Amino acid sequence: MPVRRERVFHWLDAKGYFAFLRSCAECGNLEASLFLGLDEIYNRRRKSLGLHHLHKAMKGGHRVAAYTLGIILLQDPETQPLGIKTLNKLAAMDLPGAPSAHESLISGDVLIATCRREAASDMRDLTWTRLHLRPRRPCTNRLCGRVEKAGKANPWSGEESYRFCSQLCRWTHELYKFSELI
């Protein structure tokens, strides 16, 4: 059952809505696990239980849950390597109909942009939380974070391609792009 359509009930009867989500998650509904994870982490302040729900949804193949889990793990210095690994796995997933290696890379960018938009929408709809990030420290590499081809946006995602010196810089850039949406 697509529980995304039922999110409006969150504001009408929150207790009933989350009971409904718990029963859906127990039956293996990955979207319900995603929403429960967000609620546990940001509304109820129970991070370990929330991460459990997100991990369950990610293991089931829910891409937005994988993105959300990676972004959350990226924010804590202790779990940063695991967040980078999670996001790298997600970016490496092939989208249907991407025949060449070059298109596969582009499809990874499209997938990340799509997951970013959906995850931000879920955060806005289910929580009052906004990410409060410290100002980004500039990388010492002067080429890091620069647009690869000035003025040329990726035709599939509508975003410019950036060059980064490390995976940490790449995903930190993504974290800040995500935080701007919520």
Side-chain angles (χ1 to χ4, degrees):
M1 175 181 183
V3 296
R4 184 173 300 277
R5 295 184 316 203
E6 312 301 325
R7 283 193 307 202
V8 70
F9 295 112
H10 171 253
W11 300 110
L12 300 173
D13 178 17
K15 190 175 182 178
Y17 175 71
F18 285 107
F20 163 72
L21 283 182
R22 276 189 271 295
S23 67
C24 289
E26 287 172 7
C27 294
N29 187 308
L30 303 178
E31 201 166 72
S33 291
L34 166 67
F35 296 159
L36 284 173
L38 288 172
D39 180 59
E40 292 293 343
I41 292 170
Y42 293 108
N43 293 340
R44 300 177 191 273
R45 306 286 185 223
R46 296 188 289 212
K47 190 173 182 178
S48 62
L49 185 56
L51 291 175
H52 169 75
H53 285 296
L54 290 174
H55 189 262
K56 180 180 171 184
M58 180 189 75
K59 285 294 183 191
H62 199 284
R63 293 174 175 172
V64 176
Y67 177 86
T68 305
L69 181 64
I71 288 294
I72 290 168
L73 294 173
L74 190 65
Q75 294 175 53
D76 185 353
E78 291 180 15
T79 59
Q80 222 170 41
L82 188 54
I84 290 171
K85 182 179 176 182
T86 302
L87 291 167
N88 281 337
K89 267 186 175 178
L90 179 64
M93 288 180 141
D94 285 333
L95 290 178
S100 70
H102 176 69
E103 287 181 14
S104 180
L105 286 175
I106 291 171
S107 68
D109 290 342
V110 172
L111 177 62
I112 294 298
T114 302
C115 289
R116 179 188 325 121
R117 285 189 297 274
E118 285 186 40
S121 174
D122 294 340
M123 286 275 293
R124 284 191 308 266
D125 289 350
L126 291 171
T127 73
W128 289 100
T129 301
R130 301 297 175 254
L131 295 181
H132 301 289
L133 302 174
R134 289 188 224 81
R136 193 177 349 186
R137 285 185 286 148
C139 181
T140 57
N141 182 340
R142 65 181 184 81
L143 297 177
C144 185
R146 303 275 185 207
V147 176
E148 281 199 14
K149 295 178 184 173
K152 294 210 176 186
N154 181 325
W156 287 275
S157 68
E159 297 182 359
E160 295 182 315
S161 296
Y162 295 89
R163 176 181 299 173
F164 297 104
C165 66
S166 69
Q167 291 298 313
L168 178 60
C169 285
R170 175 186 182 193
W171 295 119
T172 300
H173 176 80
E174 179 62 32
L175 172 63
Y176 280 85
K177 286 179 83 167
F178 173 70
S179 70
E180 289 170 1
L181 288 179
I182 55 172

